[in-house]
Amino acid sequence: MKGGAYERVKKARAGSRPTGLDYISNIFDGFLELHGDRCFGDDGAVVGGIAEIDGVPVTVIATEKGHSARERAARCFGAPHPEGYRKALRLMKQAEKFGRPVICFVDTSGAYCGVEAEERGQGRAIAENLMEMSTLCVPVISVITGEGGSGGALALAAGDRVWMLSGAVYSVISPEGCASILWKDQAKAADAAESLRLTAEDAAALGIVERILPEDGIGKTEFYGRIRELLSEEIRLLSNEPDLLGQRYERFRRIAAAAIKEKS
């Protein structure tokens, strides 16, 4: 349906959707938040720490948009600065040291693009996350819960499994940004959204995500319970994988091969 993809984008951006902290508090037990990147400061757009799921210690990291206008402004509307990505990487390396699986919840329009972020090494922070995540010796599961915007989302989604909620989107650029570049007109955002193939179904067809999570009862106890069960089972399976890094490597090779085939 014409414009259907853009309606999906609007749904993914809705302020009523659960945020990262909602998922953490409703899925995990005993969450202990850890702060700071040990370099510059703490970034409220990225939260992370230690928790348990069915008795298994895990490291949980999430982009956080906040709910109220005040919370959203304080958390930069979920657009992380470099220190947010460095904090996430610090927690991932800590998880590797202690053998804890890593679970990431991603909902961001993209990394913060202000001058100060560039001055503090935004591009390098994202690149280092991608490089380091590819070699982590513990299971890594990422869930796209709303917007998965460009490298800002990918910096928390280079793992063994990537799942998407059925109403989420995942794209290299926003429809508005794409329309501005291609047609110099943001009013063509709906056309751009159709071309970007950003829906969960598109991502699954391209092999970019392994599972689409239905949004029935989103925000309710049963909704979080279903995700908890799936995460717990996937952690068990990945923890028993004898060649975790090899399988992760092959995962990205398959994505690259699919992209080449798509272009040919």
Side-chain angles (χ1 to χ4, degrees), residues 75-159:
R75 297 188 183 274
C76 204
F77 298 88
H81 286 69
E83 49 270 24
Y85 293 115
R86 285 194 289 261
K87 173 169 67 174
L89 182 57
R90 179 176 74 83
L91 298 181
M92 287 187 237
K93 297 298 285 184
Q94 182 192 77
E96 182 180 47
K97 179 178 179 179
F98 292 101
R100 293 192 297 264
V102 176
I103 301 172
C104 299
F105 294 93
V106 182
D107 182 12
T108 179
S109 59
Y112 184 70
C113 58
V115 173
E116 62 270 33
E118 297 300 326
E119 290 175 340
R120 297 199 294 271
Q122 185 72 286
R124 177 169 181 151
I126 292 172
E128 286 181 342
N129 272 36
L130 295 175
M131 179 181 70
E132 296 289 349
M133 285 185 78
S134 68
T135 60
L136 284 176
C137 294
V138 292
V140 182
I141 303 172
S142 297
V143 184
I144 312 296
T145 62
E147 286 185 276
S150 192
L154 189 60
L156 295 177

Side-chain angles (χ1 to χ4, degrees), residues 177-190:
C178 179
S180 295
I181 292 171
L182 294 182
W183 298 293
K184 312 299 181 187
D185 184 4
Q186 285 196 10
K188 292 185 177 291

